[in-house]
mmCIF file of all heavy atoms in Angstrom:
data_model
loop_
_atom_site.group_PDB
_atom_site.id
_atom_site.type_symbol
_atom_site.label_atom_id
_atom_site.label_comp_id
_atom_site.label_asym_id
_atom_site.label_seq_id
_atom_site.Cartn_x
_atom_site.Cartn_y
_atom_site.Cartn_z
ATOM 1 N N ASN A 98 8.120 7.101 -11.969
ATOM 2 C CA ASN A 98 8.940 5.772 -12.165
ATOM 3 C C ASN A 98 10.081 5.689 -11.326
ATOM 4 O O ASN A 98 10.172 6.495 -10.284
ATOM 5 C CB ASN A 98 9.307 5.698 -13.631
ATOM 6 C CG ASN A 98 10.164 6.978 -14.067
ATOM 7 O OD1 ASN A 98 10.694 7.624 -13.252
ATOM 8 N ND2 ASN A 98 10.182 7.219 -15.403
ATOM 9 N N ASP A 99 10.948 4.746 -11.504
ATOM 10 C CA ASP A 99 12.188 4.596 -10.570
ATOM 11 C C ASP A 99 12.985 5.766 -10.514
ATOM 12 O O ASP A 99 13.489 6.041 -9.371
ATOM 13 C CB ASP A 99 12.952 3.262 -11.065
ATOM 14 C CG ASP A 99 12.353 1.962 -10.802
ATOM 15 O OD1 ASP A 99 11.463 1.874 -9.746
ATOM 16 O OD2 ASP A 99 12.670 0.937 -11.442
ATOM 17 N N GLU A 100 13.128 6.471 -11.717
ATOM 18 C CA GLU A 100 13.860 7.672 -11.644
ATOM 19 C C GLU A 100 13.314 8.791 -10.729
ATOM 20 O O GLU A 100 13.994 9.330 -10.059
ATOM 21 C CB GLU A 100 14.058 8.326 -13.097
ATOM 22 C CG GLU A 100 14.858 9.477 -13.205
ATOM 23 C CD GLU A 100 14.875 10.000 -14.639
ATOM 24 O OE1 GLU A 100 14.763 9.220 -15.574
ATOM 25 O OE2 GLU A 100 15.066 11.273 -14.716
ATOM 26 N N ILE A 102 11.293 8.168 -8.130
ATOM 27 C CA ILE A 102 11.467 7.717 -6.806
ATOM 28 C C ILE A 102 12.904 7.796 -6.336
ATOM 29 O O ILE A 102 13.143 8.231 -5.122
ATOM 30 C CB ILE A 102 11.143 6.182 -6.687
ATOM 31 C CG1 ILE A 102 9.534 6.007 -6.996
ATOM 32 C CG2 ILE A 102 11.382 5.598 -5.422
ATOM 33 C CD1 ILE A 102 8.666 6.643 -5.905
ATOM 34 N N ARG A 103 13.776 7.658 -7.113
ATOM 35 C CA ARG A 103 15.345 7.913 -6.741
ATOM 36 C C ARG A 103 15.471 9.444 -6.346
ATOM 37 O O ARG A 103 16.152 9.631 -5.293
ATOM 38 C CB ARG A 103 16.290 7.455 -7.788
ATOM 39 C CG ARG A 103 16.507 6.033 -7.788
ATOM 40 C CD ARG A 103 17.672 5.659 -8.707
ATOM 41 N NE ARG A 103 17.463 5.838 -10.034
ATOM 42 C CZ ARG A 103 16.881 4.945 -10.813
ATOM 43 N NH1 ARG A 103 16.334 3.865 -10.324
ATOM 44 N NH2 ARG A 103 16.565 5.119 -12.112
ATOM 45 N N SER A 106 14.161 9.819 -3.060
ATOM 46 C CA SER A 106 15.008 9.080 -2.108
ATOM 47 C C SER A 106 16.113 10.129 -1.666
ATOM 48 O O SER A 106 16.409 10.117 -0.468
ATOM 49 C CB SER A 106 15.519 7.885 -2.581
ATOM 50 O OG SER A 106 14.600 6.960 -2.994
ATOM 51 N N THR A 124 4.434 4.133 -11.690
ATOM 52 C CA THR A 124 5.011 2.922 -12.494
ATOM 53 C C THR A 124 6.425 2.592 -12.062
ATOM 54 O O THR A 124 7.092 1.788 -12.755
ATOM 55 C CB THR A 124 5.047 3.496 -13.851
ATOM 56 O OG1 THR A 124 5.793 4.549 -14.076
ATOM 57 C CG2 THR A 124 3.709 3.594 -14.586
ATOM 58 N N PHE A 125 6.677 2.859 -10.828
ATOM 59 C CA PHE A 125 8.067 2.550 -10.276
ATOM 60 C C PHE A 125 8.043 0.911 -9.968
ATOM 61 O O PHE A 125 6.915 0.433 -9.916
ATOM 62 C CB PHE A 125 8.376 3.375 -9.060
ATOM 63 C CG PHE A 125 7.285 3.336 -8.016
ATOM 64 C CD1 PHE A 125 7.264 2.304 -7.038
ATOM 65 C CD2 PHE A 125 6.327 4.276 -7.916
ATOM 66 C CE1 PHE A 125 6.337 2.319 -6.116
ATOM 67 C CE2 PHE A 125 5.333 4.285 -7.004
ATOM 68 C CZ PHE A 125 5.292 3.276 -6.044
ATOM 69 N N GLY A 126 9.145 0.516 -9.654
ATOM 70 C CA GLY A 126 9.293 -0.980 -9.352
ATOM 71 C C GLY A 126 10.129 -1.125 -8.230
ATOM 72 O O GLY A 126 10.325 -0.257 -7.410
ATOM 73 N N ASP A 127 10.663 -2.321 -8.143
ATOM 74 C CA ASP A 127 11.599 -2.742 -7.029
ATOM 75 C C ASP A 127 12.813 -1.859 -6.843
ATOM 76 O O ASP A 127 13.255 -1.515 -5.719
ATOM 77 C CB ASP A 127 12.062 -4.178 -7.138
ATOM 78 C CG ASP A 127 10.826 -5.150 -7.132
ATOM 79 O OD1 ASP A 127 9.837 -4.784 -6.560
ATOM 80 O OD2 ASP A 127 10.983 -6.190 -7.673
ATOM 81 N N ASN A 128 13.451 -1.340 -7.902
ATOM 82 C CA ASN A 128 14.655 -0.531 -7.862
ATOM 83 C C ASN A 128 14.251 0.733 -7.167
ATOM 84 O O ASN A 128 15.023 1.291 -6.371
ATOM 85 C CB ASN A 128 15.280 -0.260 -9.254
ATOM 86 C CG ASN A 128 15.950 -1.480 -9.778
ATOM 87 O OD1 ASN A 128 16.255 -2.360 -9.042
ATOM 88 N ND2 ASN A 128 15.916 -1.457 -11.226
ATOM 89 N N GLY A 129 13.126 1.340 -7.460
ATOM 90 C CA GLY A 129 12.735 2.523 -6.822
ATOM 91 C C GLY A 129 12.487 2.449 -5.337
ATOM 92 O O GLY A 129 12.926 3.064 -4.516
ATOM 93 N N LEU A 130 11.864 1.292 -4.908
ATOM 94 C CA LEU A 130 11.689 1.084 -3.406
ATOM 95 C C LEU A 130 12.981 0.694 -2.800
ATOM 96 O O LEU A 130 13.096 0.999 -1.567
ATOM 97 C CB LEU A 130 10.550 -0.089 -3.188
ATOM 98 C CG LEU A 130 9.197 0.259 -3.634
ATOM 99 C CD1 LEU A 130 8.214 -0.726 -3.037
ATOM 100 C CD2 LEU A 130 8.853 1.632 -3.025
ATOM 101 N N GLU A 131 13.942 -0.023 -3.420
ATOM 102 C CA GLU A 131 15.137 -0.246 -2.863
ATOM 103 C C GLU A 131 15.845 1.012 -2.566
ATOM 104 O O GLU A 131 16.527 1.116 -1.543
ATOM 105 C CB GLU A 131 15.919 -1.284 -3.730
ATOM 106 C CG GLU A 131 15.402 -2.693 -3.573
ATOM 107 C CD GLU A 131 15.858 -3.624 -4.755
ATOM 108 O OE1 GLU A 131 16.777 -3.092 -5.536
ATOM 109 O OE2 GLU A 131 15.451 -4.710 -4.811
ATOM 110 N N SER A 132 15.747 1.958 -3.455
ATOM 111 C CA SER A 132 16.310 3.245 -3.286
ATOM 112 C C SER A 132 15.787 3.985 -2.058
ATOM 113 O O SER A 132 16.464 4.603 -1.176
ATOM 114 C CB SER A 132 16.098 4.075 -4.609
ATOM 115 O OG SER A 132 16.649 5.457 -4.341
ATOM 116 N N ILE A 133 14.491 3.968 -1.842
ATOM 117 C CA ILE A 133 13.690 4.519 -0.658
ATOM 118 C C ILE A 133 14.095 3.757 0.538
ATOM 119 O O ILE A 133 14.400 4.418 1.560
ATOM 120 C CB ILE A 133 12.218 4.474 -0.883
ATOM 121 C CG1 ILE A 133 11.851 5.572 -1.880
ATOM 122 C CG2 ILE A 133 11.526 4.651 0.395
ATOM 123 C CD1 ILE A 133 10.304 5.992 -1.842
ATOM 124 N N ALA A 134 14.208 2.421 0.509
ATOM 125 C CA ALA A 134 14.783 1.617 1.623
ATOM 126 C C ALA A 134 16.036 2.135 2.053
ATOM 127 O O ALA A 134 16.231 2.376 3.365
ATOM 128 C CB ALA A 134 14.613 0.152 1.268
ATOM 129 N N GLU A 135 16.944 2.346 1.202
ATOM 130 C CA GLU A 135 18.238 2.834 1.500
ATOM 131 C C GLU A 135 18.286 4.192 2.182
ATOM 132 O O GLU A 135 18.954 4.458 3.138
ATOM 133 C CB GLU A 135 19.107 2.857 0.275
ATOM 134 C CG GLU A 135 20.646 2.853 0.479
ATOM 135 C CD GLU A 135 21.298 1.810 1.417
ATOM 136 O OE1 GLU A 135 20.759 0.587 1.304
ATOM 137 O OE2 GLU A 135 22.068 2.048 2.187
ATOM 138 N N ASN A 153 4.706 -2.562 -11.579
ATOM 139 C CA ASN A 153 6.099 -3.022 -11.846
ATOM 140 C C ASN A 153 6.647 -3.464 -10.523
ATOM 141 O O ASN A 153 7.872 -3.775 -10.519
ATOM 142 C CB ASN A 153 7.048 -1.941 -12.527
ATOM 143 C CG ASN A 153 6.529 -1.641 -13.779
ATOM 144 O OD1 ASN A 153 6.101 -2.414 -14.587
ATOM 145 N ND2 ASN A 153 6.510 -0.245 -14.036
ATOM 146 N N LEU A 154 5.923 -3.586 -9.511
ATOM 147 C CA LEU A 154 6.462 -3.907 -8.166
ATOM 148 C C LEU A 154 6.350 -5.428 -7.856
ATOM 149 O O LEU A 154 5.286 -5.918 -8.198
ATOM 150 C CB LEU A 154 5.643 -3.087 -7.127
ATOM 151 C CG LEU A 154 6.218 -3.210 -5.619
ATOM 152 C CD1 LEU A 154 7.594 -2.633 -5.646
ATOM 153 C CD2 LEU A 154 5.265 -2.295 -4.803
ATOM 154 N N THR A 155 7.348 -6.084 -7.362
ATOM 155 C CA THR A 155 7.211 -7.455 -6.852
ATOM 156 C C THR A 155 7.604 -7.463 -5.346
ATOM 157 O O THR A 155 7.769 -6.457 -4.703
ATOM 158 C CB THR A 155 8.252 -8.304 -7.570
ATOM 159 O OG1 THR A 155 9.618 -7.940 -7.133
ATOM 160 C CG2 THR A 155 8.185 -8.210 -9.112
ATOM 161 N N ALA A 157 10.058 -8.224 -3.828
ATOM 162 C CA ALA A 157 11.489 -7.797 -3.518
ATOM 163 C C ALA A 157 11.420 -6.274 -3.041
ATOM 164 O O ALA A 157 11.998 -5.895 -2.147
ATOM 165 C CB ALA A 157 12.288 -7.907 -4.655
ATOM 166 N N GLY A 158 10.566 -5.467 -3.634
ATOM 167 C CA GLY A 158 10.532 -4.095 -3.373
ATOM 168 C C GLY A 158 9.852 -3.973 -1.838
ATOM 169 O O GLY A 158 10.452 -3.093 -1.041
ATOM 170 N N GLY A 159 8.843 -4.636 -1.743
ATOM 171 C CA GLY A 159 8.162 -4.701 -0.328
ATOM 172 C C GLY A 159 9.146 -5.076 0.757
ATOM 173 O O GLY A 159 9.260 -4.494 1.890
ATOM 174 N N ALA A 161 12.359 -4.987 0.734
ATOM 175 C CA ALA A 161 13.342 -3.954 0.940
ATOM 176 C C ALA A 161 13.014 -2.918 1.983
ATOM 177 O O ALA A 161 13.657 -2.591 2.819
ATOM 178 C CB ALA A 161 13.850 -3.267 -0.347
ATOM 179 N N ILE A 162 11.701 -2.511 1.807
ATOM 180 C CA ILE A 162 11.161 -1.528 2.886
ATOM 181 C C ILE A 162 11.038 -2.173 4.181
ATOM 182 O O ILE A 162 11.419 -1.543 5.200
ATOM 183 C CB ILE A 162 9.764 -0.935 2.280
ATOM 184 C CG1 ILE A 162 9.873 -0.236 1.001
ATOM 185 C CG2 ILE A 162 9.108 -0.169 3.449
ATOM 186 C CD1 ILE A 162 10.698 1.116 1.030
#
Side-chain angles (χ1 to χ4, degrees):
N98 56 21
D99 285 337
E100 181 182 333
I102 293 295
R103 278 192 292 278
S106 297
T124 55
F125 55 87
D127 296 332
N128 290 336
L130 286 193
E131 288 167 3
S132 177
I133 285 198
E135 195 58 38
N153 299 317
L154 189 59
T155 70
I162 296 291

